Amino acid sequence: QVQLVESGGGLVQPGGSLTLTCVVSGFTFSNYVMYWYRQAPGKERELVAGILSFGQTTDYLDSVKGRFTISRDNAKNTGYLQMNSLKSEDTAVYYCNIWRAATGDYWGQGTQVTVSS
C-alpha cells in the first residue's frame, strides 16, 4: 500500500524557517519524481518544487527560488522541503506528491504552514 506522510509544518514568524518531511512507503521511492505543492485558502493548488528520481535536477516556483530547497534521501525513503526566509504569502497547506509514468501519482495528506507574527 502506497503511503506518503508529511510532517514539519507549523506556525513560524516571517523570516523564519521550517523543514517539511515526506516519508514514503509501499513502493520504490527512487523510481518516482517527487514534488511539493501548496494550496492557500481560496486559491488553487500550485507546484512549489520538484526533484528527479536521483536528485539530479530540481526546479522551483519563481516566488520561492533562493529561499526553498527540495531534496531527497532515497535510502531513507524520505523527501524534504527546506523553507527559509518565510513570508506571509507562503502560508498554505503543503502536500508531498510522487509521480511515475507507469503508475500515475500519489499524494500525502498535507501539512499546514502558517507564517504570521
Side-chain angles (χ1 to χ4, degrees), residues 28-92:
T28 303
F29 185 42
S30 59
N31 288 342
Y32 290 78
V33 180
M34 187 185 76
Y35 302 99
W36 285 94
Y37 285 79
R38 68 185 181 188
Q39 187 166 20
K43 296 187 177 180
E44 293 188 355
R45 191 171 296 188
E46 64 179 353
L47 177 60
V48 175
I51 184 168
L52 293 185
S53 302
F54 292 94
Q56 63 272 41
T57 301
T58 59
D59 200 8
Y60 298 90
L61 182 69
D62 283 348
S63 62
V64 308
K65 284 181 180 177
R67 301 189 297 120
F68 289 13
T69 303
I70 188 171
S71 62
R72 62 192 295 163
D73 185 338
N74 289 340
K76 295 182 178 180
N77 288 341
T78 302
Y80 306 94
L81 185 68
Q82 173 69 43
M83 306 185 295
N84 298 325
S85 302
L86 283 161
K87 305 176 181 180
S88 58
E89 51 263 43
D90 296 318
T91 295

